Amino acid sequence: MTTPEPQSPAPRPPAPESPDRIHRSAGGIAGGVLLLAIVLWLGCDALVTGHGRVPWLALAAMILVVPLVTAFTLRPAVYANEERLRIRNPFRVIALPWGQIAALRSGYSNEAIGKSGTKYQLWAVPVSMRARKRAARQKTRENAVGEREGRPGRFGLGSRGGPFAGTGFGGGGAAGGAGGVSGRAPADQFMSDLIDLHEARENAEAAQGEVSVRWAYEIIGPAVAGAVVLAILLAVG
């Protein structure tokens, strides 16, 4: 009589991915909605009241312009969780595990630098020199008030306050407000939060993997089609 071989335990399902914290530019969204409203209003008016080739030109122009406006205003976003940073730019979506990021840099633009040396710009986190100056003035005023009252300024050297502290991750949406926290501009505070998260998760096993880059053909395709049709209509005369 043979004894049955012990069965191997069933494979465990993969652990669910941690929820994303999303950052988008409120100014970009507002500007994009306004531009799309103007384009659709003018285009629909030309379609209804235009004569001859005008409706066809208006239709081709809308097919070209609407995807481009959407790509540069409504589309950009940054998604961050404990496993990876996902950057949705106008024409690409880049997924960067924290272990594949060498540095996060904030200067005249905000960038993630991969260990291969490739730079990925964060379109959804634009740098505003005006916001930086406003935050610096606010910090100076707070420090001056603190000195007059015999206590250190509220903002001092600034505090990051953990991986998801600050305007970027605290609300899970687009950063707002003029001064941010710790006397920083909102975009700078968001980058500081990303740096904290990168430092905390860079060597975690779940944060390893390969860099993934996907082109946004849903944006590129209609824009190219609109450009081709518009060029043909203009050439035919």
Side-chain angles (χ1 to χ4, degrees), residues 52-139:
R53 294 188 310 125
V54 172
W56 294 105
L57 289 170
L59 181 60
M62 284 196 295
I63 295 174
L64 169 64
V65 173
V66 169
L68 293 180
V69 172
T70 302
F72 285 98
T73 59
L74 305 182
R75 178 179 169 81
V78 174
Y79 302 82
N81 60 28
E82 294 184 352
E83 285 79 38
R84 52 100 183 101
L85 175 70
R86 186 159 66 95
I87 305 167
R88 193 171 72 183
N89 283 343
F91 301 114
R92 294 193 301 174
V93 177
I94 305 105
L96 292 164
W98 292 114
Q100 291 293 331
I101 297 177
L104 291 157
R105 186 169 61 189
S106 179
Y108 291 104
S109 64
N110 291 310
E111 299 172 333
I113 303 174
K115 290 190 173 179
S116 63
T118 307
K119 298 178 183 178
Y120 305 98
Q121 187 173 354
L122 278 64
W123 281 76
V125 193
V127 171
S128 172
M129 303 305 294
R130 185 177 180 182
R132 284 181 176 175
K133 293 177 180 178
R134 186 163 53 239
R137 289 195 300 268
Q138 179 184 353
K139 178 179 177 181

Side-chain angles (χ1 to χ4, degrees), residues 19 21 80-82 160-166 168-170 193 197:
R21 274 71 174 181
N81 60 28
E82 294 184 352
R160 290 179 177 174
F164 293 131
F169 289 130
D193 295 336
L197 185 56

